[in-house]
Amino acid sequence: MITIKDIAERANVSRTTVSRVLNESGYVSEDARKRVMKVIEETGYVPSEHAKSLRTKKTKVVGVILPKISTETAARVVNGIDDVLAKEGYQILLANTNLRTKKELEYLKLLQSRQVDGIILMATNLSKEILMQIKELKVPFVALGQDIPDQSSVFYDDYRAAQEMTELFIKEGHDRIAFIGVDESDRAVGYLRKRGFLDTLEKHGISIEETYIETAEFSSEAGYEAMERILETSEERPTGVFAVTDRLAIGAMKCLKEKGIVLPQDMKLAGVGASELSKYVTPALTTIDFQYEEAGAEAAKLIMNKVIHNQKTVKKFKLNYGIIRKDSL
Amino acid sequence: MITIKDIAERANVSRTTVSRVLNESGYVSEDARKRVMKVIEETGYVPSEHAKSLRTKKTKVVGVILPKISTETAARVVNGIDDVLAKEGYQILLANTNLRTKKELEYLKLLQSRQVDGIILMATNLSKEILMQIKELKVPFVALGQDIPDQSSVFYDDYRAAQEMTELFIKEGHDRIAFIGVDESDRAVGYLRKRGFLDTLEKHGISIEETYIETAEFSSEAGYEAMERILETSEERPTGVFAVTDRLAIGAMKCLKEKGIVLPQDMKLAGVGASELSKYVTPALTTIDFQYEEAGAEAAKLIMNKVIHNQKTVKKFKLNYGIIRKDSL
DNA sequence: CTGTTAGCGCCTTCAA
DNA sequence: TTGAAGGCGCTAACAG
């Protein structure tokens, strides 16, 4: 491996001088600079970031922990993060937990040992353990998707969004509205969206039919099955279905179609996420746009502020959302 | 920052001993080991990977260069890569070029300077420059999606897949088949798929109508517009459309629907990629499944073989594909 | 403007 | 079974 020392020798200067031209710091004569540059060109020398990091304690790398890389949401968020980081010359070190919560802990440690300059956690379930770990973190940290107490967080207004969507159903004259949610250990998606839904029904004096409320995993298949259960167990068929993600909604839609229930005539349907899918299914899906790229970008900006400008204060960023009204509701 | 030295002092041993228990190498008395472990626990010490890398020249990080993170294809490939790497304790350092070819060069350099143990490049356009850079790379390298001469590559059988799909159109009695492709500088998607299509037509003695052949960017909007152009410029309307990606096909489908052309009665349509989208549009899209996760996994396995077992030979891996027959063709 | 020197935190001989 | 010493490649005082 070719090092700064080799360059120095070949260019007849000291390592310091080489370092200076490399980092454009301090005075270097045009002459020396040229010689150094020439040797660098010739040799194809690339300075070692590790050695550099060891001295400077900076890596220009941000760790991103996420529950699953191959979902549209995650991909869009990462995209938003990368946009901002790349501009500052930072890179992403991926840590994919594949939905295994235990991995979150591991990665939190691993990323520290890799001396990442900051960590963004796309949080799902927030166990006590995780919260503890985060608190003890020495690295700048930003939570994404959940509001973590005492930590800078970028999150969606899950509660109000769900509320507003539910209002829409009611305004359209529905009072038999089914709900397909996810486990409440996911506070944002599971708990808050459900609360928004239930509270709104209550507010309007609509009684809650238990058979209308189903819980599923994060997949369209699960959405399909949840829809099936709702149809089977309900005495009176609901006239609308609110699913907490587009995938679930799409699964439900498939089920409805197969049962010969025509959308949007016989049944209204809405999801959350403004996924690509939602635009292209028939009928197009009414959904909530949480602007995932922007979420990623905001989280990245927060991290950059901490990393570059050493900003210490805890910032909360609640993102806007918009209801995208399409044919399904 | 707490270092191995601190641990050594607190545990009343030398740094060497601490290092030994950390790496489970060499002899350490149970007694010493316990003391060290205890101090590590108490202090929450995490060894610096940088310092380690500096000595060992290993980072347990693989750089992945890709053209765009927020596409389903990329996400699925990355997922496949991560699956394999994670098992070996390796992580992904992301390098997203956002379709800017120049960035590929930059990142190739950057990743080297970060001493990644290997590089996987999801290649698109293969300029001379890139090829040169790759040749001079000192790090294990695998190309994904394109077959790069003299380099280990995992790629799809684009030509034959396009051929087979075209055969399917012909077998179904079509001889007025339109084609929506992408720029040929993308050898796999742009050039090979087009050649597969054209050669097959020729083989069957079907003359090629110039107005049936369109080129677009990688987006559904572009697919829409390409479809529009085909309909406008063609004297006789085609009876089938083959688009080289599902996105393009979906865009075309939207256009057709808006013009009141009914699928699949009035027009057949096929795409490539077996995207989520393809399953849920109506009619469901006939498409080619290239198994992107597997592609990523294979690439990762190749890299791991090189990195861990120091395997030097150039390996080529042409992936299987399957035609997924749905309602659109 | 340039070079000398001293580490950053870790692993790895080598010797005890 | 343990420790001392040296060095990985780089930057940052400090002197010239």
Side-chain angles (χ1 to χ4, degrees), chain B residues 87-125:
Chain B
K87 278 193 196 111
E88 307 285 350
Y90 281 69
Q91 269 190 279
I92 292 175
L93 189 64
L94 262 197
N96 178 9
T97 68
N98 249 317
L99 295 174
R100 274 161 305 175
T101 325
K102 252 181 54 192
K103 281 262 172 187
E104 286 185 11
L105 280 167
E106 259 178 58
Y107 277 131
L108 237 27
K109 233 181 215 151
L110 185 58
L111 289 177
Q112 280 191 89
S113 76
R114 291 200 187 285
Q115 314 276 137
V116 294
D117 290 344
I119 295 179
I120 297 176
L121 171 65
M122 246 182 105
T124 52
N125 304 14

Short mmCIF file of all heavy atoms in Angstrom, two decimals, chain B residues 87-125:
data_model
loop_
_atom_site.label_atom_id
_atom_site.label_comp_id
_atom_site.label_asym_id
_atom_site.label_seq_id
_atom_site.Cartn_x
_atom_site.Cartn_y
_atom_site.Cartn_z
N LYS B 87 -24.71 -11.66 7.66
CA LYS B 87 -24.37 -12.96 8.24
C LYS B 87 -22.89 -13.09 8.54
O LYS B 87 -22.49 -13.80 9.44
CB LYS B 87 -24.80 -14.08 7.27
CG LYS B 87 -26.27 -14.42 7.40
CD LYS B 87 -26.59 -15.71 6.67
CE LYS B 87 -28.10 -15.82 6.48
NZ LYS B 87 -28.51 -15.69 5.08
N GLU B 88 -22.09 -12.42 7.77
CA GLU B 88 -20.64 -12.49 7.97
C GLU B 88 -20.14 -11.32 8.82
O GLU B 88 -18.94 -11.13 8.96
CB GLU B 88 -19.92 -12.46 6.60
CG GLU B 88 -20.41 -13.50 5.62
CD GLU B 88 -19.89 -14.90 5.99
OE1 GLU B 88 -19.04 -15.01 6.87
OE2 GLU B 88 -20.38 -15.88 5.38
N GLY B 89 -21.07 -10.53 9.29
CA GLY B 89 -20.68 -9.40 10.13
C GLY B 89 -20.16 -8.20 9.34
O GLY B 89 -19.46 -7.37 9.88
N TYR B 90 -20.53 -8.15 8.09
CA TYR B 90 -20.09 -7.02 7.27
C TYR B 90 -21.23 -6.00 7.12
O TYR B 90 -22.40 -6.35 7.19
CB TYR B 90 -19.65 -7.49 5.89
CG TYR B 90 -18.26 -8.07 5.89
CD1 TYR B 90 -17.99 -9.28 6.54
CD2 TYR B 90 -17.20 -7.41 5.27
CE1 TYR B 90 -16.71 -9.81 6.56
CE2 TYR B 90 -15.93 -7.93 5.28
CZ TYR B 90 -15.68 -9.13 5.93
OH TYR B 90 -14.42 -9.64 5.96
N GLN B 91 -20.84 -4.77 6.90
CA GLN B 91 -21.84 -3.72 6.70
C GLN B 91 -21.68 -3.05 5.35
O GLN B 91 -20.63 -3.14 4.71
CB GLN B 91 -21.70 -2.68 7.80
CG GLN B 91 -22.58 -2.98 9.00
CD GLN B 91 -22.59 -1.81 9.94
OE1 GLN B 91 -21.66 -1.65 10.72
NE2 GLN B 91 -23.62 -0.99 9.89
N ILE B 92 -22.72 -2.35 4.97
CA ILE B 92 -22.73 -1.68 3.67
C ILE B 92 -22.46 -0.19 3.84
O ILE B 92 -23.10 0.48 4.65
CB ILE B 92 -24.11 -1.84 3.01
CG1 ILE B 92 -24.35 -3.29 2.61
CG2 ILE B 92 -24.23 -0.92 1.80
CD1 ILE B 92 -25.74 -3.52 2.05
N LEU B 93 -21.52 0.29 3.08
CA LEU B 93 -21.33 1.73 2.99
C LEU B 93 -21.95 2.15 1.66
O LEU B 93 -21.52 1.73 0.60
CB LEU B 93 -19.85 2.09 3.03
CG LEU B 93 -19.54 3.57 3.14
CD1 LEU B 93 -20.04 4.13 4.46
CD2 LEU B 93 -18.04 3.82 3.02
N LEU B 94 -23.00 2.96 1.76
CA LEU B 94 -23.77 3.33 0.57
C LEU B 94 -23.10 4.43 -0.22
O LEU B 94 -22.59 5.39 0.34
CB LEU B 94 -25.13 3.85 0.99
CG LEU B 94 -26.32 2.93 0.94
CD1 LEU B 94 -27.60 3.75 0.97
CD2 LEU B 94 -26.30 2.06 -0.30
N ALA B 95 -23.15 4.28 -1.53
CA ALA B 95 -22.69 5.35 -2.41
C ALA B 95 -23.72 5.48 -3.51
O ALA B 95 -23.80 4.65 -4.41
CB ALA B 95 -21.32 5.03 -2.97
N ASN B 96 -24.52 6.51 -3.40
CA ASN B 96 -25.63 6.72 -4.30
C ASN B 96 -25.25 7.75 -5.35
O ASN B 96 -25.00 8.90 -5.01
CB ASN B 96 -26.82 7.20 -3.46
CG ASN B 96 -28.04 7.50 -4.29
OD1 ASN B 96 -28.08 7.20 -5.49
ND2 ASN B 96 -29.03 8.09 -3.67
N THR B 97 -25.20 7.37 -6.60
CA THR B 97 -24.75 8.33 -7.62
C THR B 97 -25.88 9.21 -8.12
O THR B 97 -25.64 10.19 -8.81
CB THR B 97 -24.16 7.62 -8.84
OG1 THR B 97 -25.21 6.93 -9.52
CG2 THR B 97 -23.08 6.65 -8.43
N ASN B 98 -27.11 8.83 -7.79
CA ASN B 98 -28.24 9.59 -8.30
C ASN B 98 -28.17 9.76 -9.81
O ASN B 98 -28.48 10.83 -10.34
CB ASN B 98 -28.32 10.94 -7.63
CG ASN B 98 -29.53 11.01 -6.73
OD1 ASN B 98 -30.61 10.56 -7.10
ND2 ASN B 98 -29.35 11.54 -5.54
N LEU B 99 -27.76 8.71 -10.47
CA LEU B 99 -27.71 8.68 -11.93
C LEU B 99 -26.64 9.58 -12.55
O LEU B 99 -26.58 9.71 -13.77
CB LEU B 99 -29.07 9.03 -12.53
CG LEU B 99 -30.19 8.04 -12.22
CD1 LEU B 99 -31.52 8.55 -12.73
CD2 LEU B 99 -29.88 6.69 -12.87
N ARG B 100 -25.82 10.19 -11.71
CA ARG B 100 -24.74 10.98 -12.29
C ARG B 100 -23.50 10.11 -12.45
O ARG B 100 -22.87 9.72 -11.48
CB ARG B 100 -24.43 12.20 -11.42
CG ARG B 100 -25.34 13.39 -11.76
CD ARG B 100 -25.32 14.35 -10.62
NE ARG B 100 -25.67 13.65 -9.38
CZ ARG B 100 -25.65 14.21 -8.19
NH1 ARG B 100 -25.27 15.46 -8.05
NH2 ARG B 100 -25.99 13.52 -7.12
N THR B 101 -23.19 9.83 -13.70
CA THR B 101 -22.11 8.88 -13.98
C THR B 101 -20.79 9.35 -13.39
O THR B 101 -19.97 8.54 -12.95
CB THR B 101 -21.96 8.72 -15.50
OG1 THR B 101 -23.25 8.82 -16.08
CG2 THR B 101 -21.35 7.39 -15.84
N LYS B 102 -20.59 10.64 -13.39
CA LYS B 102 -19.32 11.16 -12.87
C LYS B 102 -19.10 10.70 -11.43
O LYS B 102 -17.98 10.46 -11.00
CB LYS B 102 -19.33 12.69 -12.92
CG LYS B 102 -18.41 13.27 -13.98
CD LYS B 102 -18.44 14.78 -13.95
CE LYS B 102 -18.13 15.38 -12.60
NZ LYS B 102 -18.44 16.82 -12.54
N LYS B 103 -20.18 10.63 -10.71
CA LYS B 103 -20.10 10.25 -9.30
C LYS B 103 -19.52 8.85 -9.13
O LYS B 103 -18.91 8.54 -8.12
CB LYS B 103 -21.49 10.30 -8.67
CG LYS B 103 -21.93 11.70 -8.32
CD LYS B 103 -21.69 11.97 -6.85
CE LYS B 103 -21.94 13.43 -6.50
NZ LYS B 103 -21.54 13.72 -5.12
N GLU B 104 -19.79 7.99 -10.11
CA GLU B 104 -19.28 6.63 -9.98
C GLU B 104 -17.77 6.64 -9.80
O GLU B 104 -17.22 5.91 -8.97
CB GLU B 104 -19.65 5.81 -11.22
CG GLU B 104 -21.12 5.42 -11.24
CD GLU B 104 -21.47 4.50 -12.40
OE1 GLU B 104 -20.55 3.97 -13.07
OE2 GLU B 104 -22.67 4.30 -12.65
N LEU B 105 -17.11 7.45 -10.57
CA LEU B 105 -15.66 7.57 -10.47
C LEU B 105 -15.24 8.06 -9.10
O LEU B 105 -14.39 7.48 -8.43
CB LEU B 105 -15.15 8.55 -11.53
CG LEU B 105 -15.00 7.98 -12.93
CD1 LEU B 105 -14.80 9.09 -13.94
CD2 LEU B 105 -13.83 7.02 -12.96
N GLU B 106 -15.88 9.12 -8.68
CA GLU B 106 -15.58 9.70 -7.37
C GLU B 106 -15.72 8.66 -6.27
O GLU B 106 -14.85 8.52 -5.42
CB GLU B 106 -16.59 10.82 -7.08
CG GLU B 106 -16.08 12.21 -7.31
CD GLU B 106 -17.20 13.20 -7.03
OE1 GLU B 106 -17.74 13.20 -5.91
OE2 GLU B 106 -17.55 13.95 -7.97
N TYR B 107 -16.82 7.97 -6.31
CA TYR B 107 -17.10 7.03 -5.23
C TYR B 107 -16.14 5.85 -5.25
O TYR B 107 -15.77 5.32 -4.21
CB TYR B 107 -18.55 6.55 -5.31
CG TYR B 107 -19.50 7.50 -4.67
CD1 TYR B 107 -20.66 7.92 -5.31
CD2 TYR B 107 -19.26 8.00 -3.39
CE1 TYR B 107 -21.54 8.79 -4.72
CE2 TYR B 107 -20.14 8.88 -2.79
CZ TYR B 107 -21.28 9.27 -3.45
OH TYR B 107 -22.15 10.14 -2.86
N LEU B 108 -15.77 5.44 -6.43
CA LEU B 108 -14.80 4.37 -6.53
C LEU B 108 -13.54 4.77 -5.75
O LEU B 108 -12.95 3.97 -5.01
CB LEU B 108 -14.47 4.14 -8.01
CG LEU B 108 -14.67 2.77 -8.63
CD1 LEU B 108 -15.74 1.95 -7.96
CD2 LEU B 108 -14.95 2.90 -10.11
N LYS B 109 -13.15 6.00 -5.90
CA LYS B 109 -11.98 6.50 -5.19
C LYS B 109 -12.26 6.62 -3.70
O LYS B 109 -11.48 6.15 -2.87
CB LYS B 109 -11.62 7.88 -5.74
CG LYS B 109 -10.17 7.96 -6.18
CD LYS B 109 -9.82 9.34 -6.70
CE LYS B 109 -8.83 9.24 -7.85
NZ LYS B 109 -8.96 10.35 -8.78
N LEU B 110 -13.37 7.24 -3.40
CA LEU B 110 -13.71 7.47 -2.00
C LEU B 110 -13.77 6.16 -1.22
O LEU B 110 -13.25 6.04 -0.12
CB LEU B 110 -15.06 8.19 -1.91
CG LEU B 110 -15.49 8.59 -0.51
CD1 LEU B 110 -14.44 9.50 0.12
CD2 LEU B 110 -16.83 9.31 -0.54
N LEU B 111 -14.41 5.18 -1.83
CA LEU B 111 -14.55 3.91 -1.13
C LEU B 111 -13.19 3.27 -0.88
O LEU B 111 -12.96 2.66 0.15
CB LEU B 111 -15.44 2.96 -1.94
CG LEU B 111 -16.92 3.36 -1.97
CD1 LEU B 111 -17.71 2.40 -2.85
CD2 LEU B 111 -17.50 3.37 -0.56
N GLN B 112 -12.31 3.45 -1.82
CA GLN B 112 -10.96 2.94 -1.60
C GLN B 112 -10.31 3.64 -0.42
O GLN B 112 -9.65 3.02 0.41
CB GLN B 112 -10.12 3.16 -2.83
CG GLN B 112 -10.34 2.16 -3.91
CD GLN B 112 -9.27 2.30 -4.96
OE1 GLN B 112 -8.23 1.69 -4.89
NE2 GLN B 112 -9.55 3.13 -5.94
N SER B 113 -10.47 4.95 -0.40
CA SER B 113 -9.82 5.70 0.68
C SER B 113 -10.42 5.31 2.02
O SER B 113 -9.80 5.45 3.06
CB SER B 113 -9.95 7.19 0.45
OG SER B 113 -11.25 7.61 0.76
N ARG B 114 -11.61 4.83 1.99
CA ARG B 114 -12.22 4.36 3.23
C ARG B 114 -11.85 2.91 3.49
O ARG B 114 -12.36 2.29 4.40
CB ARG B 114 -13.73 4.50 3.16
CG ARG B 114 -14.21 5.94 3.17
CD ARG B 114 -15.66 6.02 3.59
NE ARG B 114 -16.20 7.36 3.45
CZ ARG B 114 -15.92 8.35 4.27
NH1 ARG B 114 -15.11 8.18 5.29
NH2 ARG B 114 -16.48 9.54 4.09
N GLN B 115 -11.02 2.39 2.65
CA GLN B 115 -10.49 1.05 2.85
C GLN B 115 -11.54 -0.02 2.96
O GLN B 115 -11.37 -0.98 3.70
CB GLN B 115 -9.67 1.03 4.14
CG GLN B 115 -8.72 2.16 4.31
CD GLN B 115 -7.41 1.95 3.62
OE1 GLN B 115 -6.89 2.84 3.00
NE2 GLN B 115 -6.88 0.75 3.68
N VAL B 116 -12.62 0.16 2.24
CA VAL B 116 -13.62 -0.90 2.26
C VAL B 116 -12.98 -2.20 1.80
O VAL B 116 -12.03 -2.19 1.03
CB VAL B 116 -14.82 -0.57 1.33
CG1 VAL B 116 -15.58 0.62 1.86
CG2 VAL B 116 -14.36 -0.34 -0.08
N ASP B 117 -13.50 -3.30 2.30
CA ASP B 117 -12.90 -4.59 1.97
C ASP B 117 -13.30 -5.06 0.58
O ASP B 117 -12.67 -5.96 0.02
CB ASP B 117 -13.33 -5.64 3.00
CG ASP B 117 -12.68 -5.38 4.35
OD1 ASP B 117 -11.70 -4.62 4.40
OD2 ASP B 117 -13.14 -5.93 5.36
N GLY B 118 -14.36 -4.48 0.06
CA GLY B 118 -14.79 -4.85 -1.28
C GLY B 118 -15.75 -3.82 -1.82
O GLY B 118 -16.28 -3.01 -1.07
N ILE B 119 -15.95 -3.86 -3.13
CA ILE B 119 -16.87 -2.91 -3.76
C ILE B 119 -17.81 -3.65 -4.69
O ILE B 119 -17.39 -4.46 -5.51
CB ILE B 119 -16.10 -1.84 -4.55
CG1 ILE B 119 -15.26 -0.98 -3.61
CG2 ILE B 119 -17.07 -0.97 -5.36
CD1 ILE B 119 -14.45 0.09 -4.32
N ILE B 120 -19.09 -3.37 -4.53
CA ILE B 120 -20.08 -3.88 -5.48
C ILE B 120 -20.63 -2.68 -6.24
O ILE B 120 -21.09 -1.71 -5.63
CB ILE B 120 -21.24 -4.60 -4.76
CG1 ILE B 120 -20.71 -5.84 -4.02
CG2 ILE B 120 -22.31 -5.01 -5.75
CD1 ILE B 120 -21.77 -6.57 -3.20
N LEU B 121 -20.57 -2.76 -7.53
CA LEU B 121 -21.05 -1.65 -8.35
C LEU B 121 -22.28 -2.07 -9.14
O LEU B 121 -22.23 -2.96 -9.96
CB LEU B 121 -19.95 -1.19 -9.33
CG LEU B 121 -20.35 -0.18 -10.40
CD1 LEU B 121 -20.75 1.15 -9.78
CD2 LEU B 121 -19.22 0.03 -11.39
N MET B 122 -23.40 -1.43 -8.84
CA MET B 122 -24.60 -1.63 -9.66
C MET B 122 -24.41 -0.73 -10.86
O MET B 122 -24.67 0.47 -10.80
CB MET B 122 -25.83 -1.20 -8.88
CG MET B 122 -26.76 -2.33 -8.53
SD MET B 122 -28.21 -1.71 -7.68
CE MET B 122 -29.42 -1.84 -9.01
N ALA B 123 -23.93 -1.32 -11.90
CA ALA B 123 -23.46 -0.51 -13.03
C ALA B 123 -24.59 -0.12 -13.96
O ALA B 123 -25.56 -0.85 -14.12
CB ALA B 123 -22.40 -1.28 -13.79
N THR B 124 -24.45 1.01 -14.57
CA THR B 124 -25.38 1.42 -15.62
C THR B 124 -24.56 1.69 -16.87
O THR B 124 -24.30 0.78 -17.63
CB THR B 124 -26.16 2.68 -15.20
OG1 THR B 124 -25.24 3.69 -14.77
CG2 THR B 124 -27.09 2.36 -14.05
N ASN B 125 -24.14 2.90 -17.02
CA ASN B 125 -23.34 3.24 -18.20
C ASN B 125 -21.87 2.91 -17.94
O ASN B 125 -21.33 3.27 -16.90
CB ASN B 125 -23.45 4.72 -18.52
CG ASN B 125 -24.90 5.11 -18.71
OD1 ASN B 125 -25.80 4.35 -18.34
ND2 ASN B 125 -25.13 6.27 -19.27
#
